Amino acid sequence: MRLLVTGAAGLLGRELLRTGTHEVVPTYHSQEMPGGVQLDVRRRDAVRDVIRSVRPDGIIHTAYRQDDWATTADGAVNVALAAEGVRLVFVSSDAVFGPRETPYAEHESPCPITAYGAAKAAAETAIRAITPEAIIARTSLIVGSDGHSEEERRVRRLAAGEPGAFYTHNIRCPVHVNDLATALLELLMSDVIGVTHVAGPEALSRLDLGRLIAVRDGLDPQALPFTPGTPSDIRLDCSRTQEALKTRLRPASEFLLP
């Protein structure tokens, strides 16, 4: 299978390049990659031309920018329009939901409270209308094992005394980047369609996650500054998707063991 990965210079995109057994064609916006194709997903004509040139059998769309509606929402729509029947996996986010005390299941409609969440929700709605057979994969905080994820970098910065703090009332379901990439590739090859939840089974505060990373990296977890922050509890119930997967989505307390 020839696979096109958008946003391949990012954490998840790089992992898809390493994990996949397929012929992978990476696209990038500004950070040039060997063997990659430059692509601005905001340009509908450019997206169409790249997909027609590469002629992929599958597309995993990871490209986004949290502060840019055109990249996150319009870019996803451009990819869906140009896919023209090609198997598409769109990586969405738990940010399509607002905080509440119980987990969200796959069938529940978005209710975002941030601009980024609204952009992802708009992309989901458009993709479901344009390409009903596409997979929408909502995920949560992505953590790596090589220190390159934003959460890992943040731990190092704050442990070194830079300004900032971890929130104790911000709850998410962290997922390991390898688990996520492997699950997305499995979903791509499956007959699953529609909305899926691909996140870790363990809900943690940003502080608890930061402390797990600190312990793994030999840093003092108690030295990390923290504050309650605005309460924001967003959990994804991934049980239905997990039943369809051979890939096991591990809890952070397991994949962050020292």
Side-chain angles (χ1 to χ4, degrees):
M1 170 180 277
R2 173 173 286 189
L3 175 62
L4 183 72
V5 175
T6 66
L11 178 70
L12 176 57
R14 292 196 306 269
E15 190 67 21
L16 285 165
L17 298 182
R18 288 193 292 263
T19 305
T21 57
H22 310 290
E23 176 190 356
V24 182
V25 179
T27 75
Y28 62 90
H29 179 232
S30 55
Q31 184 178 336
E32 188 170 351
M33 304 180 68
V37 178
Q38 199 281 331
L39 176 63
D40 185 343
V41 296
R42 297 170 297 183
R43 292 181 50 204
R44 185 166 298 178
D45 58 340
V47 175
R48 182 193 63 238
D49 291 346
V50 166
I51 290 177
R52 287 181 178 177
S53 173
V54 174
R55 300 176 64 184
D57 303 299
I59 301 169
I60 299 183
H61 179 56
T62 78
Y64 76 97
R65 282 186 59 183
Q66 285 201 3
D67 59 349
D68 184 5
W69 179 281
T71 297
T72 303
D74 298 343
V77 172
N78 292 339
V79 171
L81 288 170
E84 296 181 341
V86 175
R87 180 71 160 158
L88 171 63
V89 176
F90 167 61
V91 181
S92 189
S93 167
D94 57 6
V96 300
F97 296 120
R100 76 177 190 190
E101 294 181 356
T102 56
Y104 287 94
E106 287 93 337
H107 70 272
E108 297 190 71
S109 299
C111 50
I113 62 170
T114 65
Y116 171 62
K120 283 289 191 181
E124 286 190 10
T125 301
I127 289 171
R128 295 180 75 177
I130 297 166
T131 315
E133 65 276 13
I135 295 171
I136 293 169
R138 295 171 180 154
T139 191
S140 189
L141 299 178
I142 305 174
V143 181
S145 55
D146 55 6
H148 290 155
S149 72
E150 176 55 32
E151 291 300 311
E152 293 167 286
R153 292 196 296 266
R154 192 158 177 259
V155 168
R156 293 196 298 271
R157 290 197 303 269
L158 269 63
E162 293 188 20
F166 287 97
Y167 294 133
T168 59
H169 291 175
N170 187 307
I171 312 294
R172 294 294 188 271
C173 296
V175 63
H176 193 280
V177 66
N178 181 262
D179 294 353
L180 177 57
T182 304
L184 294 178
L185 290 167
E186 186 180 343
L187 288 169
L188 179 76
M189 300 298 293
S190 73
D191 58 1
V192 172
I193 63 172
V195 177
T196 61
H197 283 180
V198 191
E202 181 179 29
L204 293 173
S205 72
R206 301 296 277 265
L207 174 62
D208 289 337
L209 176 61
R211 284 176 170 172
L212 285 174
I213 294 171
V215 170
R216 184 201 65 184
D217 293 349
L219 303 172
D220 181 4
Q222 302 305 317
L224 297 179
F226 61 88
T227 185
T230 303
S232 179
D233 188 340
I234 303 177
R235 312 177 191 212
L236 297 180
D237 180 352
C238 303
S239 55
R240 192 190 74 177
T241 301
Q242 180 66 89
E243 289 177 359
L245 290 171
K246 294 180 180 178
T247 304
R248 187 171 76 89
L249 301 169
R250 295 171 292 167
S253 57
E254 177 181 329
F255 66 70
L256 288 172
L257 283 172

